[in-house]
């Protein structure tokens, strides 16, 4: 007698977490998902879009926040980063427009896509800071777009952003004088 092999699934396509575990170039974002307990969530059935930072992008983020490892970053910050990079809809680049994506991130903020051309090379940007380096990686529970920077949570209002730009100081005065700054 021999053991019969029974196929227990109908689809062999990797889910997002399995894909990350199989690709060491994304191990640092996988560590964020593991630390925040989102790794199991991203391995479930669903339709997701993930903007996936490379290890180099996560290393730069750590440098920017003055941390030596992800364990030194407050858990709430890692949770916010994870949620900002995930949308609960499958969105390929053919659905991008120059502007916000119709579905907000799990953090609740809308991501903005656009096109840039630098030295004759065109690329798609996300939130005007990250470039998509690989797009439309189709997986069992969604799609991944690999990006070269960690997206940052917007922590200022539009008025505060305007106020931070010295070139817009006169406009900031107008906003405050008219009461629009607080709105």
């Amino acid at each position: 007698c021999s053991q019969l092999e029974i196929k227990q699934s109908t689809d062999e396509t990797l889910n997002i977490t399995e894909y990350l575990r199989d690709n060491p170039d994304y191990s640092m974002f996988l560590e964020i998902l593991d630390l925040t307990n989102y790794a199991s969530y991203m391995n479930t059935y669903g339709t997701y879009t993930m903007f996936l930072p490379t290890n180099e992008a996560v290393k730069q983020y750590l440098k920017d926040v003055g941390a030596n490892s992800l364990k030194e970053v407050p858990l709430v910050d890692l949770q916010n980063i994870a949620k900002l990079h995930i949308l609960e809809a499958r969105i390929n680049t053919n659905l991008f427009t120059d502007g916000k994506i119709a579905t907000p991130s799990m953090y609740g903020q809308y991501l903005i896509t656009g096109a840039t051309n630098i030295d004759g090379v065109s690329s798609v940007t996300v939130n005007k800071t990250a470039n998509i380096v690989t797009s439309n990686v189709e997986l069992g529970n969604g799609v991944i777009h690999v990006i070269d920077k960690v997206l940052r949570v917007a922590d200022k209002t539009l008025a505060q952003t305007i106020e931070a730009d010295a070139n817009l100081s006169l406009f900031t005065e107008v906003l405050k004088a008219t009461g629009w700054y607080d709105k």
Side-chain angles (χ1 to χ4, degrees), residues 16 19-20 23 25-30 33 49-55 57-58 85-86 131-134 137 139 143-151:
I16 291 172
Y19 177 81
L20 298 180
N23 288 281
D25 291 339
Y26 313 122
S27 62
M28 293 187 78
F29 196 76
L30 176 61
L33 295 178
T49 298
M50 177 181 283
F51 290 90
L52 173 62
T54 62
N55 284 349
V58 176
H85 286 78
I86 303 167
N131 293 306
I132 295 179
V133 294
T134 305
V137 178
L139 298 167
V143 62
I144 287 178
H145 306 292
V146 179
I147 55 177
D148 65 355
K149 289 202 174 29
V150 171
L151 302 175

Side-chain angles (χ1 to χ4, degrees), residues 91-97 136 145:
I91 302 171
N92 289 324
T93 54
N94 64 331
L95 297 175
F96 291 176
T97 59
N136 302 320
H145 306 292

Side-chain angles (χ1 to χ4, degrees), residues 21-153:
R21 289 200 196 290
D22 281 357
N23 288 281
D25 291 339
Y26 313 122
S27 62
M28 293 187 78
F29 196 76
L30 176 61
E31 184 179 351
I32 291 173
L33 295 178
D34 284 335
L35 289 169
T36 59
N37 292 319
Y38 291 131
S40 59
Y41 180 74
M42 295 311 303
N43 204 36
T44 60
Y45 175 76
T47 52
Y48 305 103
T49 298
M50 177 181 283
F51 290 90
L52 173 62
T54 62
N55 284 349
E56 290 305 313
V58 176
K59 288 175 188 173
Q60 184 60 50
Y61 166 77
L62 288 173
K63 184 177 175 184
D64 292 346
V65 298
N68 294 314
S69 74
L70 288 166
K71 291 179 181 172
E72 292 180 14
V73 178
L75 181 60
V76 69
D77 291 352
L78 294 178
Q79 290 169 330
N80 291 341
I81 286 170
K83 291 188 287 187
L84 185 64
H85 286 78
I86 303 167
L87 286 67
E88 292 183 293
R90 185 183 294 254
I91 302 171
N92 289 324
T93 54
N94 64 331
L95 297 175
F96 291 176
T97 59
D98 228 14
K100 77 176 184 178
I101 296 175
T103 302
S105 69
M106 288 179 58
Y107 182 77
Q109 288 183 354
Y110 288 91
L111 302 181
I112 297 169
T113 58
T116 61
N117 189 319
I118 300 173
D119 297 326
V121 177
S122 294
S123 61
V124 177
T125 61
V126 181
N127 284 4
K128 299 183 181 184
T129 58
N131 293 306
I132 295 179
V133 294
T134 305
S135 61
N136 302 320
V137 178
E138 293 287 339
L139 298 167
N141 63 343
V143 62
I144 287 178
H145 306 292
V146 179
I147 55 177
D148 65 355
K149 289 202 174 29
V150 171
L151 302 175
R152 303 297 288 270
V153 172

